[in-house]
Every structure is written in structure tokens, then in C-alpha cells.
Amino acid sequence: ELLEITDEILISWLLPVVALGTVLFLARRVPDAAKKDEFIDQRSLVSMQMYPTWLMMVKYLVPTLILMLLILQVVIALRN
């Protein structure tokens, strides 16, 4: 019983909240120059081409999906 409750809290609630916080911190607080330096390998054309896509996903898509999943978790929890 205790293990199930702990698992539910950690996996279903805490992990998505921490992931959302991490991605929001990365998107909003880390300077663009630092993100570019860490993401782009100057020897790889692919990383240069993928950076705008990655940045768009980090800023908009990932936080939206995590929020939608958290809302779904709340709806499921309220139905039970």
C-alpha cells in the first residue's frame, strides 16, 4: 500500500512537475548563446540545422504536452 502511494506520487505527479520546471528553466532562463554553444557541434551540419527545431520544441511543444498530461492526470484522479 505504502509503496503504491509512493510510486503514484513520484512517478505520476512529481516527475512531470520536475520535468516541466526543468524545461521551463532551460527555455526561459538559460541564455540563447549558452544553449547554442551546448547544442551545436561546429563539425556537424545536422546539429546546426536541428537547433531551431529543438529550440521550438523546448519552448512550446514540450511544456504544452507536459501540462496536457498533468491536466489529464487531474481529470483521471477526480473521476476515481
Side-chain angles (χ1 to χ4, degrees):
E1 179 71 23
L2 179 61
L3 244 90
E4 289 177 13
I5 293 170
T6 304
D7 180 61
E8 177 73 22
I9 290 170
L10 290 177
I11 301 302
S12 298
W13 297 102
L14 194 57
L15 186 61
V17 169
V18 170
L20 180 63
T22 302
V23 79
L24 288 175
F25 177 80
L26 178 64
R28 308 281 189 255
R29 298 288 181 188
V30 176
D32 285 337
K35 287 185 271 196
K36 224 176 209 182
D37 287 344
E38 292 297 324
F39 188 85
I40 294 178
D41 180 7
Q42 296 301 329
R43 299 167 293 171
S44 171
L45 183 60
V46 173
S47 68
M48 291 180 207
Q49 293 172 335
M50 291 297 297
Y51 178 73
T53 304
W54 174 81
L55 191 59
M56 174 92 82
M57 288 176 62
V58 167
K59 282 186 176 181
Y60 304 110
L61 182 65
V62 173
T64 302
L65 289 175
I66 293 173
L67 279 174
M68 288 171 55
L69 290 173
L70 282 171
I71 290 169
L72 184 61
Q73 285 282 97
V74 170
V75 168
I76 290 170
L78 291 176
R79 284 192 172 177
N80 290 335

